[in-house]
Amino acid sequence: MRTSLCDTLGVEYPVCGFTPSEHVAAAISRAGGLGVLGCVRFNDAAELDAVLGWMDENTGGKPYGVDIVMPSKIPEEGSSMDLTKLIPDTHRSFVDKTLTELGVPPLPDETDEREGVLGWLHSVARSHVEVALKHPIKLIANALGSPPVDVIEQAHGRGVPVAALAGKAEHAVRHVDNGVDFVVAQGYEAGGHTGEIASMVLVPEIVDAVGDRAPVLAAGGIGSGRQAAAALALGASGVWMGSFWLATEEYLQTMSGSVAMQRALVDASSSDTVRTRIYTGKPARLLKTRWTEAWAAPDAPEPLPMPLQNLLVSHAHNRIHAAEDPSVVSMPVGQIVGRVDRVRPVADVLGDLVREYGETVARLNRA
């Protein structure tokens, strides 16, 4: 399983694994892929710096990348405290009432509660870039498309290529026009922020639209060697996977309280996801649970715009996480969750994908 992307990124397999867990990202890199650490959970740049320092020491000298969340246009923004004042009391009341109805208990008094994620803010994302470029990263990916041109130029000045997610062909062309080096064609099936076009349609559209100007990675609905082979057959140079890594043993090394979440993923089918704005304020695919169903009820308020929605539900997410109840989990995940049948080591997941890819190509060659 080798494409030109392997030489470009210095990896054994053309598999980029996005994850919020540094333990998972490092394991992906050690296994021959490119581990890509999601930075949005780091409100403090110093904390990110420390984690990337850990990555430097634990990838076995293999390359890794980072993923930021930065809009292409620089918005006006206030501090976290200023922003919380913009959240309507009606929304706060709805969240409190819903948690009570779902039987989610308050946090214990001694809980060290994590504040709302500020990585959605442009200024915080820029601090992530500044910190990341002090480390030997091999890729910066942006979940919200092309970052500002000056950020792309800053990365290029350090010899670091930039990738951008795209849900439409015209978005991909715009990203490449801005100087992006790789396009991640993320289909409707994907977890987290995603568009409305399915991968089978989107990937060849984007491949044709950008031509030889930039390699394309396929994302959304990929969790097996057969699906990876299909992605390359559609013209992609590699695959971008996120959801499958949530159910790995290494994930618990970073997020030790995620056993209930993993149990919910293992029990879910491919129809147990929903695309909604309740997580961040932008359309994102989540695991369908009693929490998401409550937000779909007729009396539920409309989700707030980014970043207010995430600030609104951050305390609720902390309570849900501590409750360890699989039926109310709040977690972005793609439709590929239906193929997640057990918790495994990262190396086994990637090894099985590569093995099945080889078997698939051999079968096609015999056909």
Side-chain angles (χ1 to χ4, degrees):
M1 185 181 185
R2 190 167 184 85
T3 70
S4 59
L5 188 73
C6 296
D7 295 327
T8 302
L9 295 177
V11 295
E12 187 175 356
Y13 308 118
V15 177
C16 294
F18 164 77
T19 173
S21 162
E22 61 268 25
H23 294 89
V24 173
I28 293 170
S29 291
R30 291 195 303 270
L34 185 78
V36 180
L37 179 67
C39 296
V40 74
R41 71 180 174 95
F42 297 100
N43 291 347
D44 184 354
E47 182 185 2
L48 174 61
D49 190 35
V51 167
L52 293 182
W54 181 92
M55 290 280 294
D56 298 340
E57 300 297 325
N58 288 275
T59 56
K62 301 294 182 67
Y64 72 91
V66 298
D67 179 274
I68 59 172
V69 179
M70 179 183 288
S72 60
K73 296 181 180 178
I74 303 175
E76 293 184 7
E77 58 183 53
S79 67
S80 173
M81 182 146 323
D82 292 334
L83 291 170
T84 59
K85 294 178 181 178
L86 301 178
I87 298 175
D89 289 339
T90 52
H91 282 69
R92 298 182 189 276
S93 298
F94 173 79
V95 169
D96 291 341
K97 175 177 72 72
T98 298
L99 291 174
T100 299
E101 292 175 349
L102 295 178
V104 178
L107 290 172
D109 292 338
E110 67 275 11
T111 301
D112 183 17
E113 184 172 6
R114 190 176 184 89
E115 63 178 323
V117 172
L118 300 179
W120 314 110
L121 297 179
H122 188 92
S123 59
V124 177
R126 277 188 176 268
S127 73
H128 292 162
V129 173
E130 296 286 345
V131 166
L133 288 176
K134 297 177 182 177
H135 294 265
I137 60 171
K138 298 302 181 183
L139 181 72
I140 291 179
N142 187 25
L144 294 184
S146 172
V149 173
D150 71 289
V151 173
I152 297 174
E153 293 174 345
Q154 183 182 11
H156 286 171
R158 300 290 185 89
V160 178
V162 177
L165 273 67
K168 291 183 178 180
E170 54 262 42
H171 296 167
V173 171
R174 187 161 62 243
H175 299 341
V176 176
D177 288 344
N178 286 342
V180 162
D181 304 282
F182 303 100
V183 175
V184 180
Q186 178 153 292
Y188 176 77
E189 309 96 317
H193 296 128
T194 187
E196 299 178 344
I197 305 174
S199 297
M200 183 67 79
V201 175
L202 180 67
V203 173
E205 281 190 353
I206 288 183
V207 168
D208 292 346
V210 302
D212 60 2
R213 300 174 63 199
V216 175
L217 288 83
I222 299 172
S224 71
R226 282 176 290 168
Q227 289 158 331
L232 298 193
L234 293 173
S237 297
V239 297
W240 177 280
M241 296 169 56
S243 300
F244 234 69
W245 312 112
L246 295 171
T248 56
E249 294 176 1
E250 289 86 350
Y251 191 85
L252 292 179
Q253 295 177 30
T254 306
M255 319 287 185
S256 59
S258 297
V259 173
M261 180 271 290
Q262 290 188 331
R263 190 158 71 246
L265 298 185
V266 169
D267 291 342
S269 72
S270 57
S271 61
D272 291 327
T273 68
V274 60
R275 188 167 171 268
T276 174
R277 292 174 49 236
I278 69 170
Y279 197 80
T280 68
K282 288 185 177 291
R285 186 172 299 283
L286 310 182
L287 186 68
K288 186 187 298 182
T289 65
R290 292 194 296 140
W291 169 251
T292 63
E293 289 174 350
W295 278 92
D299 64 334
E302 284 294 313
L304 301 171
M306 181 185 281
L308 298 182
Q309 180 67 19
N310 187 263
L311 292 173
L312 166 67
V313 298
S314 62
H315 175 69
H317 287 169
N318 289 329
R319 286 176 59 178
I320 288 170
H321 183 75
E324 299 183 350
D325 180 355
S327 74
V328 295
V329 163
S330 179
M331 174 57 65
V333 71
Q335 292 177 335
I336 196 63
V337 69
R339 293 192 63 87
V340 176
D341 58 1
R342 63 194 185 281
V343 176
R344 296 187 287 162
V346 163
D348 287 1
V349 173
L350 187 53
D352 284 353
L353 183 145
V354 172
R355 174 189 52 77
E356 189 181 68
Y357 171 86
E359 294 171 352
T360 301
V361 172
R363 187 177 69 251
L364 291 172
N365 287 337
R366 293 193 302 268

